[in-house]
Amino acid sequence: MVDRPILEFTPRDIALLRPANETERLAALRDLNILDTAPETQFDAICRTAQVLFDTPIALVSLLDEDRQWFKARCGLNDDGTSRDVAFCNHTILADEVLVVEDAGEDARFGMNPLVTGEPRIRFYAGAPLILRSGIRVGSLCIIDTKPRRFSTEQANQLRDLAEVVTANLRVYQDRSEHRRVAATLEDTDDALRDANTRYASLADALPQMVWTVSPEKRVTAYRNASFRTYYGETERSGGRTHSRNHPGDVERMSSAWEAAVSSKQAFELEGRLRRHDGDYRWHRIVMIPLQRSGEVIEWLGTALDIDHIIAAQNALKATGDLLRLAQEAAEAGIWEWDMRDDVVRLSPMSARMHNLPLPVGRDAMEIPLADWKAQVHPDDLPGVWDEVKRAIADRSTYSCEFRIANPAVPAEPRWMQSFGRMLDDETGEPARCVGLQIDITDRKVSEARIAHVASHDNLTDLPNRAVFHATLEKCLADIGNAPAALLCLDLDRFKTVNDTLGHHAGDGLLRVVADRLRESIGNDGVIARLGGDEFAIILPGTRLEDAQAFARTVIDAIGQPIHLGSQVVTIGASVGIAHAPEHGLEVDLLHRHADLALYRAKAAGRNSFQVYTKGMDEALEDRNKLEFDMHLAHRKGEFRLNYQPIVGLADGQIRGFEALMRWPHPTRGMVSPAEFIPIAEETGLVVPLGAWALEEACRFAASWPIQARIAVNVSAVQFQRPGLEAAVANALAVSGLAADRLELEITESLMIQDGDAVIACLHRLRSIGVRIALDDFGTGYSSLSYLRRFPFDKIKIDRSFVREIDDLDAQAIVRAVVSIGERLGTAITAEGVETEDQLALVTQTGCTEVQGFLFGKPMTPEQALAFMREQSPRKAA
Ligand code: C2E
Ligand code: CA
Ligand code: CA
């Protein structure tokens, strides 16, 4: 048994398939005189269009002769025909519809076809019949693929439209052969004609062309055949000037051709539009032949063939080509073709433009050796491109890649190309050609790069952002091997102050300067990222801990240099925490947390310092977090207390007032010092409600005193930064009924270097309701006498540390200077932390007006303070 479906066709079955009108059909085909003619551009162009339009390796214009199919045009195939038995076209010419075979291997009609089972291994076929006239289908326009594929109705319609263009061109053949026949007949009968006018006339009348004669001297029409009369109308008078029927756009061309022909006595042929009797113009191929006798032109014989439908078809073809070109241009696509056999690359005009190659004038493509093409590709991209090409050749598939090509206009900015191609085999199955499209994707690449940069960089400082930091650290830790790495977390000291005082614009400028200084310090050795706000991180791969510490010092120094922001000069500091891999962790999050802990410690330790992570820091942080939690709880439960320390006037030894000092009796820790919990309360913002409570509590207590002494309350800078301080003061005074001038607010100079004008305005408002303002802790840190000019404080409190060193002459000199300014401004000067009689003697000598210290009284409970007041027996100044 033969192992194939019963319905499968054999070549013999196919041979039996012949259209009913086969004889007429063959006659029409032969009449065209087209079989075995040389290839012609218009047919080749249609084939190429079909190949590109439908993206198939093969496209053919096939004409079906008696026992063969012959290809008038072919793309992707070397044979110029096959035996008729195997032609798919046999089926195509049986109907007017497009024949589509999506998978020939699965089709009973073609499964055993040698073109399917053998070369070229057709799997897909779509063919549109070439219909010369009704029922006469001389062949097909077909496209072929070696892989099965789908074909939509719309594509079938496109193929049919393209076949129409082929048919229109075939009709040119039809007309041409008729024309030739007429001309031949007429020439042959040159002499006979003159004698056989009747025969001549009746022959001419039978022709589809217009035929006429023109006398040379007068150039008037002497004779017109039936077609002529039909075209121009019977009323057309003879003797009219020939070009009067010409289209105005053709007149010049036609008359110069005519003049040239007359002077050369040569026949001429041209195409032009002739006006029909109804006013319509139709394209004609006009031939004028001189009829000569003894070397003299006695008459011109004209024939004109109506070729309007051909011109229309040609225009349609041109439109299709234009459309294709337009589509390519709209997509900014260039077409290229690489012939592997001779290593030549053909470029379409757009492709040539992309490669900055001048297209030879009048050419619609150019060829360059493959080596020249390669030389244009960026050397870094060429290996990748070539690998992809080799892969595509090996897989017999498509290839796609992106690469840069030289840009002579701006050499530093090569242009980016994206190229798609398809490998095509020759008849032996060897890769022969690669055809494809190329588009310029430079703009896309540029914006992609911009987007990538924006997405990975902080737009203020242009430093890599947190995401990049994370990825970089991860990569660094992954391939750490034996090489160590350091992570530095950096935080600016007093950044917020600058930001709040000078405005965000200045703050931004400051961050940019810091970023620049960091970049300068690091050079090419690591990665700096801005994690947000005034937080930076620095990754130093391959760095020992000692070197990381040295680097931290360099960075702190660099940032500490004065920064010019417009007309202002500011100085800020930086704190740095260092964690070192591998010993402090090998995971990004852990190492980062440890560097952060170290940073936290550095900040706590004071400005402009760095700390290296140590194991104990985790516990310390935990402890601090617990304290913070307890503090919130204590605040809710009202567990905070105020103690009061007396301030004594040196002149008379009388109590001038008390300073309220906060106390926190912790259930398990015992008494927690405000030096420990106030900074945490400032950080968490708890200092705001806590401070408001202290104000109210202190005022209420003072209002109950038996003496008119003042109450001094410490106010944190954080309370000034948040709204509500003035309201809290007013509220404390109102609920206690305390006279405003008995309340003194102690502020530190850190507040003064902050919000400058805003703070000063606020202080003035507080002062205007009668509240007194004292400058606390004078002599620590940045004390500058210039504050005294900016705001006339009611009191200056000289810090304990100064008093401790008061036997030092420099310290004395400074205190004296402060005192003398205070005297001029009418400001009281209090010496803090006076513990000994010696200190008391010295501060008295320098001119301080008040003293506060353990020598006079420690901070005491309200009851103790009341008892102290009642005693009214403070020690008198010595
Ligand atoms: P301060 O404002 O400079 O307060 C004076 C500190 O010096 C108090 O410490 C006081 O006990 C201590 N002191 C007074 N005389 C002597 C002395 O002769 N020798 C020594 N060694 N120390 C003396 P305290 O009570 O521990 O307060 C520490 C800091 O906590 C205060 O420094 C102040 O800055 C802050 N503070 C206390 N209470 C409050 C408050 O209610 N609000 C705010 N914002 N801060 C407060
Ligand atoms: Ca104080
Ligand atoms: Ca103080």
Side-chain angles (χ1 to χ4, degrees), residues 405-684:
I405 60 172
N407 179 7
V410 194
E413 293 168 16
R415 301 207 60 87
W416 275 98
M417 297 294 145
Q418 185 171 37
S419 182
F420 313 94
R422 175 186 293 278
M423 298 296 159
L424 300 175
D425 290 350
D426 65 8
E427 57 286 355
T428 66
E430 283 304 304
R433 295 185 308 138
C434 183
V435 293
L437 289 177
Q438 168 169 319
I439 48 181
D440 188 321
I441 54 163
T442 310
D443 290 348
R444 193 192 85 201
K445 281 283 179 186
V446 167
S447 57
E448 272 174 7
R450 202 166 41 224
I451 289 165
H453 187 89
V454 167
S456 60
H457 285 71
D458 161 44
N459 68 348
L460 177 65
T461 61
D462 206 34
L463 287 175
N465 63 15
R466 192 178 274 273
V468 174
F469 159 73
H470 202 273
T472 310
L473 187 56
E474 194 155 52
K475 190 168 171 301
C476 175
L477 293 179
D479 41 54
I480 195 164
N482 293 320
L487 171 62
L488 281 68
C489 284
L490 183 147
D491 195 297
L492 302 181
D493 299 326
R494 293 193 307 277
F495 168 70
K496 201 178 175 319
T497 308
V498 173
N499 212 31
D500 293 347
T501 318
L502 304 178
H504 292 287
H505 191 67
D508 288 353
L510 185 133
L511 287 171
R512 272 192 222 105
V513 171
V514 168
D516 288 344
R517 289 184 184 178
L518 286 174
R519 267 191 282 258
E520 262 167 47
S521 309
I522 201 168
N524 295 322
D525 298 338
V527 174
I528 312 159
R530 179 170 172 228
L531 304 185
D534 59 345
E535 244 185 287
F536 298 84
I538 301 160
I539 302 167
L540 299 174
T543 304
R544 294 176 311 153
L545 182 57
E546 304 88 271
D547 298 331
Q549 286 173 284
F551 179 74
R553 230 168 270 128
T554 311
V555 161
I556 290 169
D557 264 10
I559 294 177
Q561 299 307 307
I563 295 173
H564 295 258
L565 297 173
S567 56
Q568 307 264 5
V569 179
V570 298
T571 313
I572 54 155
S575 303
V576 176
I578 305 174
H580 196 247
E583 66 273 25
H584 297 156
L586 269 172
E587 286 144 42
V588 171
D589 289 342
L590 188 69
L591 199 68
H592 190 192
R593 201 171 84 86
H594 287 166
D596 250 352
L597 271 175
L599 171 63
Y600 179 74
R601 263 306 172 81
K603 287 182 92 67
R607 298 158 178 146
N608 282 329
S609 70
F610 68 87
Q611 289 280 323
V612 177
Y613 167 78
T614 58
K615 269 219 165 75
M617 288 179 181
D618 292 271
E619 288 105 69
L621 183 71
E622 228 166 75
D623 193 54
R624 180 211 170 269
N625 289 342
K626 181 133 197 332
L627 200 66
E628 185 188 327
F629 176 77
D630 288 351
M631 207 155 68
H632 276 94
L633 209 66
H635 173 58
R636 269 217 307 282
K637 288 189 182 167
E639 288 175 357
F640 287 96
R641 296 279 173 270
L642 286 179
N643 274 5
Y644 299 91
Q645 187 178 30
I647 299 160
V648 177
L650 274 179
D652 53 8
Q654 294 295 307
I655 300 172
R656 290 280 183 274
F658 285 85
E659 178 179 3
L661 293 162
M662 213 176 283
R663 293 292 174 262
W664 181 17
H666 189 276
T668 56
R669 292 172 197 256
M671 196 61 80
V672 183
S673 159
E676 196 177 339
F677 71 78
I678 291 291
I680 300 176
E682 286 177 334
E683 238 176 81
T684 61

Side-chain angles (χ1 to χ4, degrees), residues 36 106 125-126 166 213 316 458 530 559 605 778 837 845 878:
D36 299 310
E106 298 294 315
Y125 169 94
V166 178
T213 58
D458 161 44
R530 179 170 172 228
I559 294 177
F778 186 88
E837 295 287 352
Q845 242 178 54

Side-chain angles (χ1 to χ4, degrees), residues 659 714 746 748 775-778 797-800 832 852:
E659 178 179 3
N714 292 285
E746 295 194 3
T748 56
L775 179 64
D776 203 358
D777 298 346
F778 186 88
K797 297 183 78 175
I798 294 175
D799 192 67
R800 207 162 66 231
E832 285 187 305
Q852 182 181 354

